[in-house]
Amino acid sequence: MNVPLLDLKAQYRTLQPQIEAAVAEVFAAQAFILGPKVQAFEQACAAYCGAAHAIGISSGTDALLMALMAEGLGPGDEVITSPYTFFATAGCIARLGATPVFADIEPRSFNIAPQKIAEKITRKTKAIMPVHLYGRAAEMDALNKLAREHQLAVVEDACQAIGTEFRGRRVGALGDYGCFSFFPTKNLGGAGDGGLITTHDPARAARLVALRNHGMEPKYFHKLIGGNFRLDALQAAVLHVKLPHLDGWMAGRRRNAARYAQLFAAAGLTDRVTLPATPCAEAGAADAETCHCHVFNQYIIRVPQRDALRAFLTERGIGTEVYYPLPLHLQECFRYLGHQPGDFPESERAAAETLALPIYPELTDAQAEAVVAAIRDFLRR
Ligand SMILES: *Cc1c(COP(=O)(O)O)cnc(C)c1O
C-alpha cells in the first residue's frame, strides 16, 4: 500500500467548487492587490486567533522578517531562538544584521527551553523567537515572564501551529507578534506562498501595515523603509474558503495521532519508538484526540536507527521526511557564529533521531496500520 507523507489532492477534492468560485470572483473583479478579499481574510484570522489585528503577508518568512523590522532590529542586537527549526526563523534575524543567539530545546517537546534562554540574555538581547514546532505550543508563560523581566519583544514563529492552544488561548495571540505561514504543507495551506502576522498592539499593527507596502503612508510618502510584503488577493480568497474547515482538519490529525498511539502500543513498540507527547497527556489530563495544545502539523517519532528505518519505509512506499537533518548552529552560513558540534546536544540528537510520519487528515485507518506494520517489520528484523 502506498502512503504519501501528505496528500493535498484529497483535501482539494472536498472543496474544489468553492475554491474555484472564489478564484473566479477575483478574476472577474481584476483586483489582485490587497482590497476586500485580503481585508475579509485578515478579519477572519484575527477573530480565529483571538488577536486584535491580523495583517496578511507574502509568506511566513516575510512575516518573521517584518516582525523584527517593526521592532527596528539591526546590527548589534541579539535575538534568542531555537537551533532546531526551519531555517527562516534564524535567517530573518541574520538578514537584518542582528545576531541569532541559540538556546537548546527540551527533548520531549522539541521546543526552546525557557531556562536555556535565561542563560543567554545579555544587554544586547532585544527579542525572543519561540517556535511552536510541529504544531505544539512552546512554554509561553515562562517565556513571557522572562520577556517582561528583561523588556524583550516576543515574536512567535507560529508557522506550523495555526490553531494550537496554550492554556486555552491560541498561539500567535500570546506574544507581541504571531507569525504564520500558508505554505501548502502547513495545516492551512494556500495555492502558493502566503503568510500573516497577528498582534494586539495598534501601534505595531500600523507599523506592519506600512512596512508591508514600502513604508508608504500616505501614497508615495515614506516614513519607514519597508518592502513589498503583501498577501495576494487570490491567496486570501483561497485561504478564506479553507479557514472554516481548519478545525475539522485538525481534529482529523488528532484522531490519526491517537490512532498511531493505539497501533504502536498494540504492536508492543512503545519502548523502541518514542511517540510525540501532547502537553495534556504529559499532565495526565487527556489523550491526543482531545488535547488542543498540539495540532500535529507533523507527527514526529524518535528512533535511534532513523536513517535505516526511513530507507526501509521508502522501499515499502511509505512517505516520510526528516525535519531537520542539521541544526542551525551547524549550518555553513552560520559558521561565523563560531559554534561546534556538542554546543546544543538536544537539538543535535533530535536532528539525528526524528522522523515525520504521514498524519494528514484524510489518512485512512488502513494506511495508518500499514505504516505501523512496516515499522514493526523493520524493528523485528
Ligand atoms: C514554514 C515555516 C516558515 C516559513 O514559512 P514560508 O511561508 O515558507 O516562508 C518559518 N518557520 C517555520 C517554523 C516554518 O515551518
Side-chain angles (χ1 to χ4, degrees):
M1 178 183 301
N2 245 34
V3 190
L5 180 64
L6 177 64
D7 182 1
L8 288 174
K9 287 178 187 162
Q11 183 191 81
Y12 182 54
R13 278 194 288 274
T14 67
L15 288 176
Q16 186 171 352
Q18 293 96 306
I19 289 174
E20 288 179 359
V23 168
E25 262 183 60
V26 176
F27 275 102
Q30 290 289 298
F32 298 111
I33 304 295
L34 298 177
K37 286 285 183 198
V38 173
Q39 249 170 33
F41 177 61
E42 287 173 339
Q43 275 166 17
C45 284
Y48 182 83
C49 294
H53 307 273
I55 297 112
I57 303 293
S58 35
S59 71
T61 302
D62 288 345
L64 294 164
L65 185 70
M66 279 194 60
L68 300 177
M69 285 171 74
E71 285 300 297
L73 295 194
D77 296 329
E78 295 179 353
V79 180
I80 301 176
T81 193
S82 168
Y84 186 62
T85 173
F86 179 57
F87 174 77
T89 320
C92 291
I93 302 167
R95 283 170 67 189
L96 292 175
T99 305
V101 173
F102 296 116
D104 210 357
I105 57 169
E106 292 173 333
R108 289 299 286 142
S109 69
F110 301 109
N111 284 327
I112 195 165
Q115 66 277 18
K116 303 276 183 192
I117 295 177
E119 296 165 10
K120 296 293 173 92
I121 295 174
T122 71
R123 261 179 302 164
K124 293 181 180 171
T125 310
K126 295 289 158 56
I128 307 175
M129 287 176 92
V131 184
H132 306 298
L133 198 69
Y134 306 139
R136 175 176 166 153
E139 282 302 317
M140 291 306 293
D141 282 350
L143 292 174
N144 281 330
K145 185 163 172 285
L146 273 175
R148 266 195 311 276
E149 284 166 7
H150 299 271
Q151 294 183 313
L152 310 174
V154 176
V155 178
E156 294 175 67
D157 183 340
C159 285
Q160 300 183 3
I162 188 166
T164 299
E165 290 180 14
F166 180 81
R167 298 191 204 286
R169 290 171 62 204
R170 285 196 164 130
V171 301
L174 303 168
D176 296 306
Y177 302 87
C179 300
F180 296 92
S181 166
F182 305 121
F183 187 78
T185 63
K186 307 294 159 105
N187 283 8
L188 181 62
D193 284 307
L196 184 99
I197 308 180
T198 49
T199 183
H200 291 300
D201 179 0
R204 285 179 165 124
R207 246 183 346 259
L208 291 167
V209 166
L211 282 171
R212 84 166 159 190
N213 199 20
H214 301 287
M216 186 154 68
E217 183 57 46
K219 205 172 185 185
Y220 303 129
F221 289 83
H222 304 261
K223 286 194 199 83
L224 302 166
I225 301 175
N228 174 358
F229 297 117
R230 299 180 297 251
L231 178 68
D232 283 337
L234 271 173
Q235 293 302 337
V238 170
L239 290 162
H240 206 161
V241 170
K242 289 185 161 196
L243 181 61
H245 301 273
L246 178 59
D247 284 348
W249 292 330
M250 288 184 329
R253 287 172 181 271
R254 283 197 297 271
R255 185 189 58 235
N256 292 337
R259 179 95 64 245
Y260 272 135
Q262 287 164 358
L263 290 168
F264 277 112
L269 296 178
T270 44
D271 56 336
R272 316 212 18 211
V273 178
T274 308
L275 305 182
T278 68
C280 295
E282 281 162 7
D287 62 14
E289 199 158 353
T290 52
C291 174
H292 289 238
C293 316
H294 202 322
V295 296
F296 294 103
N297 180 237
Q298 303 297 343
Y299 185 89
I300 301 293
I301 61 167
R302 262 182 197 267
V303 276
Q305 329 83 312
R306 191 264 318 275
D307 293 334
L309 172 61
R310 182 163 195 229
F312 184 88
L313 293 177
T314 303
E315 222 164 83
R316 289 273 185 108
I318 292 167
T320 60
E321 186 53 270
V322 174
Y323 302 106
Y324 300 88
L326 187 66
L328 298 186
H329 66 287
L330 299 178
Q331 296 287 347
E332 197 174 329
C333 67
F334 287 140
R335 205 179 284 163
Y336 70 95
L337 294 172
H339 290 297
Q340 304 292 325
D343 281 358
F344 302 102
E346 291 301 348
S347 295
E348 291 167 34
R349 201 162 63 84
E353 292 184 350
T354 52
L355 188 66
L357 302 181
I359 188 72
Y360 59 90
E362 297 82 6
L363 189 80
T364 65
D365 283 354
Q367 286 176 312
E369 283 160 25
V371 172
V372 175
I375 294 172
R376 183 199 57 212
D377 292 349
F378 172 82
L379 291 172
R380 294 230 179 113
R381 282 181 316 172

